[in-house]
Each structure stands twice: as C-alpha cells, then as structure tokens.
Amino acid sequence: MNKIRFLLLIFLIMSLSGCTLKGCSFLPKNSLTIVQYHFEKSVDEEGELSAQIVGVARNDSSAKLEYAEVIGKFYDKDGTLLATGVAKTTSEEPEGEEEKYFTLDPGQIWEFTISYSSDPREAHPSLNLLSWDLEKDSSGARIIGEAENNGDVILSFAEIIGTFENYKGDILVKATATTTRLGVGEIWRFTILCPYPDFWDVTRVVAEVGEIDSEPVPTQDVDHATVKVGALRGSTVMP
C-alpha cells in the first residue's frame, strides 16, 4: 500500500511540473489573448479610404514573450476572403532598415493594427500545387489535381501546365488548365485534358504552376474582418 501511495505521489509531482512519460518541460506555456478588436473604415485628409483592424492583446503567459503576431483576415459582404495581414511585435523602422522586435512582459497589453491594402505593390500572390495524378479511361487521359491560393490576395488568373509523357520519359504533349478569381485560401480542383491522339501511350504526367496574376480588391468592397493569434515565441528563462 505504501508503494502505491509513493508511486501516486511521484505521478502527481510529475504532472504538476510538466513531466510526461516522454520527458519533462519546466518552461511556461506561451499564451496571448486577444482582449478585443474591431474593424473600421476611415477617410484621410486626401480623401483616400482605408480599412483596418484595431485591437488589444494581452500576454497571458507567466514569462516574457519575445515575439508575437496576430493574423487578420478581410472579407467582403458575401464572406469571400479577400486578403490576410499580420501584426507583429516589431517597432516601425525607416524603409530599408532591419526590423526591431519588442517584448511583452507577463500581463502586458499590446495595441495592434492590421491594415488592408489594395495596392498591387503590397500584394503577395502565390499558388501552391497540392496534388496531381494521371487518370485514363476509354474517353481519354487527363491530369486531375488540386491547387491552393496560399498568397494574401485574390488571384484574378491562375494557370497550371500539364506535361504528358510516355514510359521512356519523352514529352508527348503539353496542355493547360486556367481559372479566374481564386480567393485567398481557396482550393482549385483542376482537370487538364490530354490532346494527344494516342493517349494510351501516356504513362507519366507532371504538373507545374504557370502564370498567375493578382487582383487586389478595392477597399470599399471590404465588409468585415476576423483575427486570431499567430506564432508566439516565449522566453527560455523562467522569470
């Protein structure tokens, strides 16, 4: 009975100290709470319309946060994701100078702003190929696959180039699939039909991203926004 009590005591101590069967961790868990936020539009002195998320976050960790970020997403009235932005714990520096980070002490408040931009120069268009495969039947051969808009702006045009090869690796033919208005984070399920007449000779296919073009949506089309906590990096030393 004493042995059982001893083992239970050891297990309790390990649990309270952050130890598991896989090891021990005595570092505090990083935590950032978004206390409040709101979406606002305003017109500056030059008559330019701007949209931004303004909010307050708090370091709820028991140790200092060396880095924190909040991710904001901007939507139109139909719920289409138009763009994403990030607020980081960095000080504003002159253009061309390296970013400088500031820390958040336990309980410290951080007032953040995430601005929406319709400036093409600030857009980061990107298309990520998730998967592709060859499909053949009596009607022909085709490449089927999925691609994701993993940039921060709507793609007004996107292209996937498909290459059809024989068993020797010789290129038989190339073809493309295109789409328009691919929203941020949206998955595109594409099909590329093989125009090669002897399609049964096709044994291997390759897909790659072709041309893409971005479409920053005008600020007046932005209707609402949401936020969530992004990456956190805490102090490695207990306070």
Side-chain angles (χ1 to χ4, degrees):
M1 182 63 70
N2 290 336
K3 184 177 181 181
I4 295 176
R5 289 179 178 175
F6 176 75
L7 292 175
L8 288 174
L9 179 61
I10 294 297
F11 178 77
L12 179 61
I13 294 173
M14 290 177 64
S15 299
L16 294 176
S17 63
C19 294
T20 66
L21 294 177
K22 295 183 179 180
C24 295
S25 175
F26 297 98
L27 296 178
K29 183 179 180 181
N30 300 327
S31 179
L32 182 73
T33 297
I34 298 173
V35 179
Q36 63 179 21
Y37 74 93
H38 67 275
F39 171 71
E40 64 181 28
K41 288 184 178 180
S42 59
V43 179
D44 61 21
E45 296 178 352
E46 298 179 356
E48 293 292 330
L49 178 65
S50 63
Q52 54 272 327
I53 303 168
V54 179
V56 175
R58 181 180 63 238
N59 177 8
D60 282 338
S61 307
S62 58
K64 183 182 298 183
L65 283 176
E66 304 290 345
Y67 172 82
E69 66 180 26
V70 173
I71 301 172
K73 296 185 177 183
F74 298 88
Y75 301 84
D76 66 13
K77 63 181 181 180
D78 296 322
T80 300
L81 180 57
L82 303 177
T84 62
V86 180
K88 306 175 182 178
T89 50
T90 56
S91 303
E92 292 188 6
E93 300 296 328
E95 187 175 351
E97 291 192 14
E98 186 177 353
E99 289 183 323
K100 294 182 180 179
Y101 297 93
F102 60 82
T103 60
L104 293 175
D105 291 326
Q108 185 175 346
I109 292 294
W110 169 35
E111 297 180 354
F112 64 85
T113 300
I114 305 174
S115 299
Y116 174 82
S117 175
S118 58
D119 187 344
R121 294 172 300 179
E122 297 183 14
H124 302 92
S126 180
L127 183 66
N128 181 35
L129 264 173
L130 301 176
S131 65
W132 71 86
D133 201 1
L134 170 64
E135 185 180 88
K136 285 194 296 185
D137 54 33
S138 58
S139 64
R142 64 198 68 84
I143 300 173
I144 56 171
E146 293 186 344
E148 178 189 16
N149 177 358
N150 64 330
D152 59 4
V153 67
I154 284 180
L155 294 179
S156 57
F157 176 82
E159 176 188 55
I160 300 293
I161 302 172
T163 302
F164 298 84
E165 303 176 355
N166 62 17
Y167 75 97
K168 295 180 181 179
D170 300 326
I171 296 176
L172 301 177
V173 69
K174 289 190 176 186
T176 63
T178 61
T179 191
T180 57
R181 283 195 63 80
L182 188 66
V184 178
E186 186 176 346
I187 301 296
W188 171 28
R189 294 172 176 82
F190 63 86
T191 300
I192 305 177
L193 300 177
C194 176
Y196 192 71
D198 298 326
F199 62 85
W200 288 112
D201 292 342
V202 177
T203 60
R204 182 175 180 270
V205 292
V206 177
E208 58 184 333
V209 176
E211 181 183 351
I212 61 173
D213 196 10
S214 62
E215 180 186 337
V217 177
T219 304
Q220 57 264 28
D221 291 352
V222 183
D223 181 73
H224 60 281
T226 62
V227 297
K228 67 176 183 179
V229 176
L232 301 175
R233 186 172 63 248
S235 173
T236 57
V237 180
M238 289 285 287

